[in-house]
Amino acid sequence: MACLNNICKEVSDEKMMTKEEEDYTLDGTVDRHGQPAIRSKTGTWVSGILLLVNQGLATLAFFGVGVNLVLFLTRVLGQDNAEAANNVSKWTGTVYIFSLLGAFLSDSYWGRYKTCAIFQAIFVVGLVLLSISSSAFLLYPKGCGDEETPCGTHSTFHIVFFYLAIYMVALGNGGYQPTIATFGADQFDEEDPKEGHSKIAFFSFFYLALNLGSLFSNTILGYFEDQGMWTLGFWASAGSAFVALVLFLIGTPRYRHFKPQGNPLSRFCQVLVAAIRKWKVGIMPGDDHLFETDKNESAIKGDRRILHTEGFRFLDRAAIMTPNDYATDEEKNTKGRNPWRLCTITQVEEVKCILRLLPIWLCTILYSVVFTQMASLFVEQGDAMKTTVSNFDIPAASMSSFDILSVATFIFIYRRILDPIVARIKTNPKGLTELQRMGIGLVIAILAMVAAGVVEVFRLKYANKDCPNCNNASSLSIFWQIPQYMLIGASEVFMYVGQLEFFNGQAPDGLKSFGSALCMTSISLGNYVSSLLVTMVMKISTRDNMPGWIPGNLNKGHLDLFYFLLAALTTADLMIYIICAKWYKCIKFDGRTNGDDDDNKKSRPVTVAAQADFRV
């Protein structure tokens, strides 16, 4: 009887231990105290929804400045259309360049929570300074900055103060954006089937929150700013950013965290140096002769090992073991291995992964050139059309609300209608892959540029050629811009949501924020390329007394030709993208190495190859 009681007690203890193990997340996340995250008390949609609201409010604040910045530069600072469009492109590009800084600090040293908090604080300070500058000295004389009343000249100090403020906004928002996307995804355990599905859905809802957050900016704030009430718009943005920061801090006890993994640049350089040092060493087929840590360990604690892949075979030399691979007493690490001579397969594959992502990333830059036209030339085009309905004046910048409505509509159509239909037709139960969706986004972007060019042809046909300032310079209604905005919105759902999922899923564990930052930097370089393209077009087309394609008075230019040029360039980019997508090989994980004794946890094969297939 005593023996039976002992057996029952042991079975009961095993059940309790199993129950306790099941309560913890399986992906290596921890709570704010650094302890393993308990599934029921951390993360999931409780944290996810809070971060989505935070993203919506922060986006409202950002677009409260960005959506009408081109008009602020022309009406308040007196810049012409081409100069203002270039300055907006450079500023927007800088926003996303700062995303690399945020991703680096997040992955390497600060962690995602601390990075989000610090950059959001900088964002709030920048918006407050911008509000102070506009109310104190930029909007002078009082009431200037609308369509009719020009503002006076400004001192160098005033201009410098203004640019300091908007570039602090760029720094804060840029460093925050890629980190918050990845931090939100961290709240879902991808090792759990139910939470893994929620993690994929999170990126769609994240992009939807981003667009819904900008809806208020593009409509209500856009209207007040168009009427010259810039100070009201900027202070409303500052208030929204402050509320977003407070909500983010309120959720602190609930968040799940991944610990920062150290400087990825050093790991990257170690592979290159080790491979160069062994450039004479022969490479044999397979990976049996390549170095990897035991499955209980990892070169980066908490990361999954990455399986060896073919391609970039020169880098495999970094993992070939030779007698000189162990360090001296002065330079050796805890294992006695010199990481500048011998790297793990996972470390080599981390470099290969980044190199494989780069061609796909480069192909997305030209799409961002198309996307950035919404904040610049689309607004200038709309401002030169009939913007009045009865006695109500429609701000040109508010037309981007149709882009937002299109994003919301097509996210619903894709998630609830298109994706299930494709999943039934195809063998892949997950429907269209990320690479396929990004290709569809490029096709729709081409159609958007063609639509914008056709609208401009008809705008010029009904234009008043003698219009001195190009306000209401055509009898063609601004509502003819709706198709081009709707097409851009549809393309975003396929391109940018697919991009977020693709780069986050294909990035190694220690570079997740960097994966999200790739999305942001493609937008950044797209803005810089747009600025360069506008400059080149104006330089080439302005000759023999011709004002160029994009002059101050659009009625004397050929904006339609610029749109058709973008359509042609995007078509060429699509062809290159298809080749790169077919060449791409996906990352393959071999379970997470977290030091557990449970082999099911630490060595579960994980592959995301099916997600990146590009069979059209």
Side-chain angles (χ1 to χ4, degrees):
M1 191 66 167
C3 181
L4 181 62
N5 288 335
N6 289 336
I7 293 174
C8 291
K9 186 176 184 301
E10 289 177 4
V11 171
S12 177
D13 290 341
E14 287 180 3
K15 288 183 177 180
M16 290 180 63
M17 290 176 64
T18 302
K19 176 76 165 56
E20 187 176 344
E21 287 179 355
E22 290 176 350
D23 284 341
Y24 292 102
T25 57
L26 303 176
D27 60 356
T29 50
V30 297
D31 59 21
R32 60 173 175 160
H33 302 296
Q35 300 300 316
I38 299 176
R39 190 182 304 279
S40 61
K41 296 182 179 180
T42 59
T44 68
W45 283 113
V46 178
S47 299
I49 291 175
L50 188 62
L51 293 174
L52 290 176
V53 175
N54 169 269
Q55 169 66 14
L57 290 172
T59 304
L60 185 157
F62 176 72
F63 281 100
V65 176
V67 75
N68 267 330
L69 184 59
V70 66
L71 296 183
F72 187 88
L73 294 177
T74 54
R75 295 179 183 179
V76 178
L77 299 187
Q79 299 178 5
D80 60 41
N81 285 332
E83 182 185 8
N86 276 345
N87 282 331
V88 170
S89 293
K90 291 174 184 177
W91 176 78
T92 309
T94 304
V95 171
Y96 298 111
I97 283 292
F98 282 134
S99 68
L100 286 176
L101 175 63
F104 175 78
L105 293 173
S106 171
D107 287 335
S108 305
Y109 302 111
W110 288 355
R112 295 191 248 284
Y113 171 81
K114 186 176 180 180
T115 303
C116 285
I118 291 175
F119 280 105
Q120 281 191 84
I122 295 173
F123 184 45
V124 172
V125 172
L127 287 168
V128 170
L129 292 179
L130 177 61
S131 304
I132 292 173
S133 69
S134 63
S135 59
F137 40 74
L138 291 181
L139 294 173
Y140 182 82
K142 187 177 181 180
C144 73
D146 56 10
E147 275 187 288
E148 299 176 356
T149 309
C151 292
T153 58
H154 304 96
S155 68
T156 303
F157 171 77
H158 295 164
I159 299 298
V160 170
F161 193 94
F162 166 76
Y163 277 108
L164 172 65
I166 64 170
Y167 277 93
M168 279 194 70
V169 171
L171 172 61
N173 188 263
Y176 152 83
Q177 276 295 332
T179 313
I180 196 68
T182 310
F183 188 54
D186 290 346
Q187 307 310 308
F188 303 94
D189 182 2
E190 65 182 0
E191 304 288 340
D192 177 78
K194 184 177 179 180
E195 289 194 26
H197 179 75
S198 297
K199 183 172 186 174
I200 294 175
F202 175 82
F203 289 110
S204 293
F205 292 122
F206 178 84
Y207 199 76
L208 179 62
L210 187 153
N211 281 270
L212 292 179
S214 63
L215 181 61
F216 183 84
S217 303
N218 293 336
T219 52
I220 306 300
L221 285 187
Y223 173 78
F224 284 115
E225 290 174 353
D226 186 69
Q227 298 301 310
M229 290 178 271
W230 298 99
T231 301
L232 174 63
F234 293 156
W235 276 115
S237 295
S240 178
F242 178 75
V243 173
L245 176 58
V246 171
L247 288 177
F248 177 82
L249 296 176
I250 287 175
T252 299
R254 182 80 193 188
Y255 296 139
R256 294 175 185 173
H257 308 265
F258 280 105
K259 295 179 180 179
Q261 306 292 353
N263 190 346
L265 294 178
S266 63
R267 299 198 301 271
F268 192 94
C269 292
Q270 284 169 359
V271 173
L272 297 181
V273 170
I276 292 172
R277 280 177 166 176
K278 300 176 183 177
W279 68 278
K280 291 184 178 180
V281 177
I283 302 177
M284 295 182 290
D287 60 356
D288 293 337
H289 62 293
L290 302 179
F291 175 74
E292 183 59 279
T293 56
D294 295 335
K295 65 180 182 179
N296 294 343
E297 303 170 357
S298 174
I300 307 170
K301 185 178 179 180
D303 280 7
R304 291 168 291 181
R305 294 189 303 174
I306 306 175
L307 298 177
H308 176 256
T309 60
E310 300 299 327
F312 299 107
R313 289 181 60 83
F314 171 78
L315 296 175
D316 287 342
R317 287 184 169 89
I320 296 177
M321 293 175 283
T322 66
N324 298 323
D325 290 335
Y326 286 82
T328 63
D329 291 338
E330 291 77 13
E331 61 183 0
K332 68 182 180 181
N333 62 6
T334 55
K335 295 297 179 183
R337 174 176 58 90
N338 184 349
W340 294 93
R341 287 185 176 273
L342 179 63
C343 303
T344 64
I345 294 176
T346 294
Q347 196 173 344
V348 172
E349 290 299 322
E350 193 177 53
V351 177
K352 287 185 181 182
C353 175
I354 299 303
L355 294 178
R356 289 191 179 108
L357 287 174
L358 288 180
I360 302 294
W361 171 72
L362 288 171
C363 289
T364 65
I365 292 173
L366 200 57
Y367 171 82
S368 296
V369 175
V370 173
F371 174 74
T372 194
Q373 304 313 313
M374 277 201 310
S376 53
L377 293 181
F378 277 21
V379 177
E380 293 179 3
Q381 180 188 34
D383 208 37
M385 300 173 75
K386 182 182 177 183
T387 59
T388 54
V389 177
S390 298
N391 294 325
F392 183 77
D393 186 62
I394 302 170
S398 69
M399 291 299 292
S400 58
S401 59
F402 288 101
D403 164 76
I404 298 165
L405 294 175
S406 177
V407 167
T409 301
F410 276 92
I411 282 180
F412 174 81
I413 291 174
Y414 172 72
R415 287 293 177 192
R416 299 298 182 183
I417 301 175
L418 181 60
D419 201 39
I421 292 175
V422 174
R424 291 176 184 175
I425 297 174
K426 293 181 57 181
T427 56
N428 181 7
K430 294 186 178 179
L432 292 171
T433 64
E434 290 95 336
L435 287 175
Q436 289 172 334
R437 284 152 55 191
M438 290 160 67
I440 293 172
L442 281 171
V443 173
I444 300 175
I446 296 169
L447 299 178
M449 286 297 97
V450 172
V454 171
V455 168
E456 182 63 14
V457 168
F458 283 94
R459 192 198 69 79
L460 289 171
K461 182 178 179 180
Y462 296 101
N464 176 9
K465 302 294 183 181
D466 298 323
C467 171
N469 56 13
C470 242
N471 292 324
N472 293 312
S474 175
S475 59
L476 189 69
S477 172
I478 194 174
F479 288 115
W480 283 101
Q481 282 192 310
I482 292 177
Q484 66 201 61
Y485 278 104
M486 294 289 287
L487 286 169
I488 289 290
S491 70
E492 289 176 62
V493 172
F494 289 96
M495 173 56 81
Y496 282 143
V497 176
Q499 236 184 313
L500 275 171
E501 292 181 25
F502 178 73
F503 287 125
N504 190 273
Q506 293 296 306
D509 287 335
L511 291 169
K512 291 298 184 182
S513 292
F514 175 78
S516 297
L518 284 177
C519 306
M520 310 301 173
T521 50
S522 74
I523 301 175
S524 167
L525 292 180
N527 280 272
Y528 285 119
V529 171
S530 175
S531 177
L532 177 63
L533 194 59
V534 168
T535 301
M536 292 175 59
V537 164
M538 286 299 294
K539 192 172 186 65
I540 295 172
S541 62
T542 306
R543 57 176 61 182
D544 298 329
N545 297 322
M546 296 295 292
W549 288 2
I550 316 173
N553 184 345
L554 291 182
N555 288 346
K556 296 181 179 180
H558 274 291
L559 184 58
D560 53 331
L561 297 181
F562 183 75
Y563 287 145
F564 292 140
L565 173 64
L566 283 180
L569 292 174
T570 309
T571 302
D573 182 57
L574 174 63
M575 299 298 104
I576 299 173
Y577 171 79
I578 292 174
I579 296 173
C580 293
K582 286 182 176 293
W583 166 83
Y584 183 78
K585 293 181 180 178
C586 296
I587 190 171
K588 296 181 180 180
F589 294 105
D590 186 30
R592 187 175 301 278
T593 54
N594 55 7
D596 263 335
D597 291 331
D598 185 357
D599 289 340
N600 291 328
K601 287 184 181 180
K602 67 192 174 189
S603 186
R604 183 183 306 175
V606 180
T607 177
V608 290
Q611 284 295 310
D613 189 17
F614 194 80
R615 294 188 293 270
V616 180

